[in-house]
Amino acid sequence: MSDVAASPVDGELESFSLVELAVLRLSREILSGKSDPGQRLVEEQLTRRLGISRAPLREALRLLAQQGLVEHVPRRGARVATLSDRDVAELYAVRDVLERHAVESALPVAQDSDLGGLRDAIERMREATRNDDRLGVAEAHRAFHVAVVALAGNRQLTVIYESILVRLQLYMAVNLRRESENAQPSDAVRRHERLLKAVAAGEPAAVIAELGAHGGRSYLD
C-alpha cells in the first residue's frame, strides 16, 4: 500500500495545531477589544466559526484561562475574563514597581544597539497607526514596554511583567478605543518617542517620571 495511515502521534500534532490556531484567533479577538470582558464564549458557536471540534476548543480555552484572558464560571461555561476596579489598580501598581526596578537596574544602557527593540516597537506602532490597526497598536505598545524591562537582563522579571501586561490589555483595549475617539492617532507614538529619548539619555528618574505621565489609565474611568 502506498498510503500510510496517520499514527496517533500525527493525530496529536494535528490536534495541537488546531489548539494553537484557536488560541491565536481567540486571543487576538479578546486583546483587540472585539470581545468585551464578561462576554460568554459559547462552544457551539466557536466550534462552527473556528471549524474545529470541542476537544481542541476546550484545550484552547484552558490555555487562555492560564493566561488570564478567559475564565470558567460554574454551570455557565467560559467567558472573556473580567477584572474588578481593584484588580486593575493592583495590576497597575505591580507593573509600576517592576518597571521602576527594571529601569533603575538597566540604565544607563551599555550601548545604543541595546535600544533596537524599543525602536522596532515604535516603528510597528507607527505602521499600525497608519493602517488603523488597533490590535497592532496595542501589541506594539506592549512590545515597547517589555523591551524597556528586558534591558535589565532579568529573564524572570520580563516573563512576569509581560504576563501582567497581557492581563491589563483586556482593559487597555478599551482604553485605546477611547483614546482613539478623544486624541490624535499619533499621540501614542509621540509618547513612546519621548520615552525612548529618556531611556537613551540614561537617566532613570526621567524615565520613571515619563512612565508616570504616560497616560495608560487616562480613559479607564
Side-chain angles (χ1 to χ4, degrees), residues 119-132:
R119 295 193 176 100
D120 178 66
I122 289 179
E123 185 53 42
R124 288 163 52 193
M125 198 179 303
R126 286 196 191 99
E127 183 177 358
T129 299
R130 286 194 296 267
N131 296 330
D132 195 26

Side-chain angles (χ1 to χ4, degrees), residues 148-191:
V148 170
V149 170
L151 291 173
N154 186 324
R155 187 172 61 85
Q156 296 302 322
L157 172 63
T158 303
V159 169
I160 294 169
Y161 178 77
E162 188 164 18
S163 71
I164 290 171
L165 288 196
V166 169
R167 293 190 66 195
L168 279 173
Q169 194 168 332
L170 282 165
Y171 285 79
M172 287 172 64
V174 176
N175 188 48
L176 289 169
R177 185 168 66 239
R178 293 179 182 173
E179 182 180 29
S180 69
E181 297 167 355
N182 293 277
Q184 294 298 316
S186 58
D187 283 356
V189 175
R190 284 196 292 269
R191 284 202 311 272

Side-chain angles (χ1 to χ4, degrees), residues 95-96 99-100 103 107 118 122 141 144-145 148 187-201 203-218:
R95 188 194 76 165
D96 292 347
E99 284 181 339
R100 176 183 289 272
V103 167
L107 299 187
L118 283 72
I122 289 179
H141 180 283
F144 180 94
H145 286 264
V148 170
D187 283 356
V189 175
R190 284 196 292 269
R191 284 202 311 272
H192 289 83
E193 288 174 337
R194 289 196 300 270
L195 262 171
L196 173 58
K197 184 177 180 180
V199 172
E203 295 291 341
V207 176
I208 291 167
E210 190 64 47
L211 286 167
H214 197 53
R217 282 157 276 197
S218 300

Side-chain angles (χ1 to χ4, degrees), residues 42-55 57:
V42 181
E43 285 190 2
E44 292 81 359
Q45 296 175 358
L46 292 175
T47 53
R48 287 197 301 270
R49 183 157 61 82
L50 299 176
I52 61 176
S53 63
R54 287 177 180 267
L57 174 63

Side-chain angles (χ1 to χ4, degrees), residues 14-15 23-25 47 56 62 65 71 83 88 91 94 114-116 122 125 130 149 173 175 190 193 201 203 205:
E14 181 179 359
S15 177
V23 168
L24 178 62
R25 287 275 302 276
T47 53
R62 186 186 69 80
E71 56 193 17
L83 295 173
V88 173
L91 285 169
V94 174
D114 292 338
L115 303 179
I122 289 179
M125 198 179 303
R130 286 194 296 267
V149 170
N175 188 48
R190 284 196 292 269
E193 288 174 337
E203 295 291 341

